[in-house]
Amino acid sequence: MTVKPLGDRVVIKNCEAEETTKSGLILTSAAKEKPQMAIVIAVGPGGNVDGKEITMHVKAGEKVIYSKYAGTEVKVDGEELIIVRQSDILAVVE
């Protein structure tokens, strides 16, 4: 099954959280921070959203940083995905 976002929505998948600290300590799952970096899976068409013309600036496959509490978490075919607005994406990581 594929997810095709509408309007200015973007489907992203979280990158894995770090399992060790810089000093080499291994973190338990409770101590890990929720990652804010993700890979773009699919991008909506943009267009006229809420009376404003929206141009999409991200592409599928790009690594992005997004707002900590943004989006709606969904599970598709056992994969955890997040659907966010393009405005919730803060930066593209190159």
Side-chain angles (χ1 to χ4, degrees):
M1 181 182 342
T2 59
V3 178
K4 185 176 176 184
L6 303 175
D8 68 336
R9 302 287 201 270
V10 180
V11 178
I12 58 177
K13 181 179 178 183
N14 271 340
C15 296
E16 292 299 315
E18 293 289 322
E19 296 198 15
T20 58
T21 63
K22 289 180 183 179
S23 61
L25 296 174
I26 298 174
L27 298 173
T28 64
S29 59
K32 290 181 196 172
E33 259 188 57
K34 180 181 171 186
Q36 287 179 263
M37 202 171 287
I39 303 291
V40 176
I41 304 298
V43 179
N48 194 344
V49 178
D50 296 331
K52 297 178 198 158
E53 190 64 31
I54 302 292
T55 304
M56 300 307 282
H57 299 287
V58 295
K59 297 185 243 18
E62 289 184 319
K63 189 179 263 192
V64 297
I65 297 173
Y66 65 98
S67 297
K68 195 167 201 156
Y69 301 105
T72 303
E73 294 180 4
V74 294
K75 205 170 211 177
V76 178
D77 293 336
E79 243 184 337
E80 290 189 22
L81 303 174
I82 303 169
I83 301 173
V84 298
R85 286 183 171 266
Q86 179 176 254
S87 60
D88 291 327
I89 295 176
L90 306 174
V92 175
V93 179
E94 294 180 345

